[in-house]
Amino acid sequence: MFMNTSKSRRRVAVAASMAMLATGVLAGCGGDSGGGSTPTLTWYINPDVGNSDASKGGQATLAANCTKNSGGKYKIKVELLPNSASDQRTQLLRRLAAGDSSMDIMSADPAFVTEFAAAGYLAPIPAGMEKNFTEDRVQSSIDASMYKGKLTSVPFWANTQLLWYKKSVAQKAGLDMSKPVTWDQLVSAAQKTNTKVGVQAKLYEGYAVWINALVAGAGGKLVENPSATYENIKLGLDSEAGKKAATIINKVATSGVGGPAVGSSDETASLTLFQAPNGGFLVNWPYTYGAYTGDKKDVAAAIYPRTVADKDSAPPFGGIQLSVGKNSKHTDLAYQAIDCITNQENTTAYMVASGNPSSRKKSYDDAKVKEAFPNGIAAQIRTSLDKAVPRPLSPYWGDVSGALQLKFSPPSAVNQQTPATAQKYILDVLKGKALL
C-alpha cells in the first residue's frame, strides 16, 4: 500500500492519507448546514441491522430519534461506511487527513480511534461531559476510549467474541461447556464428531483479532508498549505465546476442522459454516444469536476458548466508539448528539434491535435484552466484556495489523517460525525498510 519513510513519524496516518488523497478520489468535503437555520450533523456509520433505513432500529434510527429529541438544535444525517473495518478506516482517515469539515460524528473501531487521536485528528471532549460518557460503562469500553490517559472517544457499543456451540455436538463430544474449554479440546471435539469450528482467518482485520486473542490468551502481548513511538516500539510476537498461537492456527487450518475455505473465512462465512448440518463450534460476536437461522434451542454460548489450559482466555474486545473530527463546524452540537445517542434508552434499544452489545452495564438487566439474548447469553456477554482484551491501542496498529495478516497467511502455512518472521517484517514496515 505505502512505504513509511517519514523520519519524524509524528503522525502515523499522514503518509498513507496523503498518498490516497493524491489519487483525487476524495469527495464530499465541507460541512452541510442543511440549507436552513438548523445545523445538519453528518454521522458516518458502520453497516448494521438498518444501515441507512431509520425504520430498522439501527444507527439511522438513533439519528432520527436524537434529531427529534434535540428540539430543533440540530438534525443528523447518516452516511454509510464500507462493510470492511479496514475499508472504514481508510475512508475515515482519508477525510480526516484532508480536513473534511463534515466529520461531525464517526462510528469507528477502537483500534483505529487511537490512530486518529495520535494524529491529532479528533476534537477534544468537553471536560464537563466526560462523566456522562464514562458512567455505567463496562471498563473495557472506557479503556478503549483512552489515549495517553485522556478520553478521546465515547463508548457506544462494546463487542466481545463468545464461543458458540451446538449443545447436541458438545454433548456428543463429551465436552462440559460449563467449564473453560481450550482450543486443543475444540479441535479434538470437532474431529471426534466430524464437525467444524468456525473462525475468521481471511486477509482482513478479523484475522488480526483472532491472532491477538490467541497471543493474549497465552499471556503475551503483540505490542509491549503501545504508546511508544515507532523507533522505540517493542513487539512480543516472537515469543512462546506467539508460537502457541501459531500452533493453534496451523492445527485448525490443517486438521480440516476450520472448513474447506478457512483462509477466506470472515464473520459471515464462519457463521454460515456453523449453521451447516456439520457445524459444531464458532467464535464470533453476539450478533450471531439473532442471525442464526437454524434451531436456536440447540445453540448456546460460553466464554472464549483458552489458548493454554492454565490461563484465562482473552476474549477479543471490539465494538464502536463515537468520535468528532477536529475540523467539524459543530463540535459542541456533535457531542450533545453523542450524549443522546449513547444514553441508557438508546443503547439498550440498539442492542435489542441490532444484536450489538451495549457499553452500559444497566442494559444487561433490561428484560428486553434478556429476551433478545435468552438462556443466560446476555449474562455471558457481560461476563466476557469484563475479561475482554483489545487489540493494541497503538497509533501504528493499522500498519501492525496489515503486516501481521500478510505474514500469517495462508493459515495452513503458519508454523513455529512465523511469529519471528512476522515480527521482523512489522518492525521493518514501521521503520520504512519494507513495503506493506
Side-chain angles (χ1 to χ4, degrees):
M1 293 171 58
F2 62 92
M3 180 178 288
N4 299 313
T5 57
S6 170
K7 293 182 179 179
S8 66
R9 291 298 297 269
R10 289 188 303 112
R11 292 183 178 181
V12 68
V14 172
S17 303
M18 293 302 103
M20 293 178 216
L21 287 169
T23 66
V25 297
L26 179 60
C29 289
D32 176 16
S33 66
S37 59
T38 302
T40 296
L41 305 176
T42 303
W43 180 9
Y44 290 86
I45 63 172
N46 59 298
D48 64 9
V49 64
N51 290 333
S52 299
D53 187 341
S55 69
K56 302 296 185 181
Q59 291 167 90
T61 302
L62 301 189
N65 291 346
C66 291
T67 294
K68 181 179 179 180
N69 294 335
S70 76
K73 283 186 178 181
Y74 57 78
K75 54 184 177 181
I76 306 173
K77 71 171 184 178
V78 298
E79 292 286 347
L80 190 63
L81 292 167
N83 285 319
S84 163
S86 299
D87 291 339
Q88 291 167 28
R89 167 186 174 266
T90 297
Q91 184 174 134
L92 293 174
L93 186 56
R94 181 189 307 165
R95 290 180 174 276
L96 288 167
D100 189 341
S101 62
S102 77
M103 308 302 285
D104 299 310
I105 307 172
M106 297 170 282
S107 291
D109 188 294
F112 302 140
V113 172
T114 301
E115 181 179 9
F116 303 159
Y121 291 151
L122 304 182
I125 292 175
M129 302 188 79
E130 289 186 359
K131 183 178 179 181
N132 283 6
F133 293 152
T134 56
E135 66 179 0
D136 189 42
R137 264 53 169 211
V138 295
Q139 189 60 46
S140 52
S141 72
I142 296 174
D143 293 343
S145 305
M146 308 291 287
Y147 179 66
K148 291 190 173 180
K150 292 185 64 177
L151 192 73
T152 59
S153 61
V154 181
F156 175 29
W157 53 275
N159 224 355
T160 183
Q161 286 200 357
L162 302 173
L163 169 58
W164 300 90
Y165 63 96
K166 292 178 181 176
K167 291 183 277 189
S168 56
V169 174
Q171 183 178 16
K172 184 177 179 181
L175 280 182
D176 182 356
M177 300 303 292
S178 66
K179 297 178 180 179
V181 173
T182 67
W183 279 99
D184 287 335
Q185 287 177 301
L186 275 189
V187 172
S188 295
Q191 290 175 319
K192 182 178 180 180
T193 56
N194 196 27
T195 55
K196 304 300 180 186
V197 180
V199 297
Q200 296 82 46
K202 182 180 177 180
L203 195 65
Y204 82 124
E205 184 65 18
Y207 192 16
V209 169
W210 185 28
I211 298 168
N212 183 67
L214 292 174
V215 172
K221 293 181 179 180
L222 285 181
V223 181
E224 300 282 357
N225 52 347
S227 297
T229 60
Y230 80 99
E231 301 100 331
N232 300 313
I233 198 167
K234 294 181 180 179
L235 303 182
L237 186 56
D238 185 10
S239 63
E240 287 304 312
K243 291 177 181 178
K244 182 59 180 176
T247 298
I248 290 171
I249 292 169
N250 177 271
K251 193 171 187 179
V252 170
T254 60
S255 66
V257 303
V262 64
S264 60
S265 180
D266 57 13
E267 285 90 348
T268 301
S270 59
L271 174 57
T272 299
L273 184 69
F274 181 58
Q275 290 185 140
N278 65 341
F281 306 93
L282 168 71
V283 287
N284 212 335
W285 310 99
Y287 83 93
T288 294
Y289 187 79
Y292 189 80
T293 57
D295 180 11
K296 291 189 178 182
K297 293 180 180 179
D298 193 33
V299 174
I303 200 71
Y304 197 80
R306 290 186 172 189
T307 305
V308 293
D310 61 348
K311 292 185 185 295
D312 287 342
S313 65
F317 176 82
I320 290 295
Q321 312 293 109
L322 298 183
S323 302
V324 177
K326 73 170 184 178
N327 290 310
S328 165
K329 295 180 180 179
H330 310 292
T331 57
D332 288 344
L333 289 177
Y335 279 117
Q336 289 178 40
I338 288 174
D339 197 26
C340 173
I341 292 166
T342 62
N343 69 26
Q344 179 70 35
E345 180 181 359
N346 282 329
T347 50
T348 302
Y350 182 74
M351 179 174 180
V352 172
S354 69
N356 295 322
S358 171
S359 64
R360 287 183 171 269
K361 299 175 184 177
K362 291 180 181 177
S363 295
Y364 297 88
D365 297 324
D366 189 277
K368 291 183 178 179
V369 168
K370 292 180 179 179
E371 182 181 352
F373 296 93
N375 304 320
I377 295 175
Q380 189 66 265
I381 295 170
R382 176 73 177 80
T383 297
S384 186
L385 282 170
D386 284 337
K387 298 176 180 293
V389 175
R391 281 151 288 163
L393 299 176
S394 166
Y396 309 111
W397 175 249
D399 290 351
V400 173
S401 175
L404 183 68
Q405 296 165 41
L406 283 173
K407 291 304 177 182
F408 270 74
S409 293
S412 59
V414 172
N415 56 46
Q416 293 297 284
Q417 286 72 50
T418 301
T421 302
Q423 178 160 307
K424 182 181 183 304
Y425 178 60
I426 293 169
L427 291 173
D428 284 347
V429 167
L430 293 178
K431 295 175 181 178
K433 297 178 180 179
L435 288 171
L436 179 59

